């Protein structure tokens, strides 16, 4: 997890989110709806976004899990943020901050999800013929599973547009 192997004894009923927060002290992924609808608990599992409140922790043994904490690289004493986390303030993509960890994790997983043919389930939007190339509308669609209570959703989509390499957007 976050490029570190963790070995923990778990109750077999514990969700991945509970394990992250309670057993590993990775508390930036938030409890929201507890039924996978809000996206505040989004993490990357083998590079693809998932709602950690819906997965049993014991079933994730051997999988690569990246939390919002893992989207930061800490060389030396000063933390350097992943590109998806840096421009958030410029784009006003973070207001209250509750959805920010899930939004950033979802954005980081969007290119892999799109390439795998996994679109958001909110509308009937077809994926592009070249799934590595996303338009602004397709980016908004991919982030639509992450609810923002204070209205920073458009800014979060702009952050993804800004940070995805130019050859990936069209």
């Amino acid at each position: 997890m976050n490029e570190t192997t963790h070995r923990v004894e778990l109750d077999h009923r514990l969700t991945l989110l509970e394990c992250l927060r309670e057993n590993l002290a990775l508390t930036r992924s938030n409890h929201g709806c507890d039924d996978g609808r809000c996206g505040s608990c989004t993490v990357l599992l083998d590079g693809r976004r998932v709602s950690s409140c819906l997965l049993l922790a014991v079933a994730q043994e051997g999988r690569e899990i990246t939390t919002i904490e893992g989207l930061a690289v800490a060389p030396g004493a000063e933390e350097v943020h992943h590109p998806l986390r840096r421009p958030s303030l410029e784009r006003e993509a973070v207001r209250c901050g509750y959805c920010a960890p899930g939004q950033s994790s979802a954005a980081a997983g969007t290119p892999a999800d799109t390439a795998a043919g996994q679109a958001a389930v909110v509308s009937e939007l077809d994926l592009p013929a070249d799934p590595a190339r996303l338009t602004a509308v397709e980016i908004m669609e991919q982030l639509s599973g992450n609810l923002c209570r204070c209205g920073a959703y458009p800014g979060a989509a702009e952050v993804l547009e800004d940070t995805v390499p130019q050859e990936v957007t069209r």
Side-chain angles (χ1 to χ4, degrees):
M1 176 169 337
N2 297 339
E3 299 183 13
T4 303
T5 300
H6 296 274
R7 195 139 191 84
V8 293
E9 278 193 38
L10 300 172
D11 181 311
H12 68 280
R13 298 167 293 181
L14 207 63
T15 66
L16 178 57
L17 178 61
E18 292 166 330
C19 175
L20 294 171
R21 293 181 61 83
E22 298 166 17
N23 294 77
L24 300 173
L26 297 170
T27 58
R28 298 267 332 272
S29 296
N30 292 314
H31 275 137
C33 63
D34 282 329
D35 63 12
R37 290 184 290 163
C38 74
S40 65
C41 68
T42 302
V43 299
L44 300 179
L45 184 63
D46 295 332
R48 308 236 347 250
R49 60 194 168 168
V50 296
S51 295
S52 62
C53 70
L54 297 178
L55 302 174
L56 290 176
V58 295
Q60 309 318 313
E61 184 176 357
R63 310 280 303 268
E64 181 183 325
I65 301 166
T66 305
T67 66
I68 187 65
E69 291 91 346
L71 291 181
V73 183
E78 188 175 326
E79 185 178 83
V80 178
H81 291 298
H82 184 283
L84 287 167
R85 292 181 61 188
R86 244 192 329 269
S88 298
L89 294 176
E90 295 166 20
R91 288 294 199 166
E92 296 181 10
V94 176
R95 292 196 179 129
C96 76
Y98 194 80
C99 69
Q103 289 277 14
S104 295
S105 294
T110 292
D113 285 346
T114 305
Q118 178 182 335
V121 295
V122 175
S123 72
E124 299 295 321
L125 184 68
D126 290 329
L127 289 173
D130 178 1
R133 301 177 65 80
L134 298 173
T135 65
V137 171
E138 291 159 347
I139 288 170
M140 292 285 281
E141 174 72 11
Q142 289 293 66
L143 295 180
S144 63
N146 291 79
L147 303 180
C148 176
R149 294 178 179 107
C150 60
Y153 181 71
E158 290 173 357
V159 167
L160 183 55
E161 268 188 281
D162 290 348
T163 56
V164 172
Q166 290 302 312
E167 68 274 5
V168 176
T169 59
R170 57 182 157 129

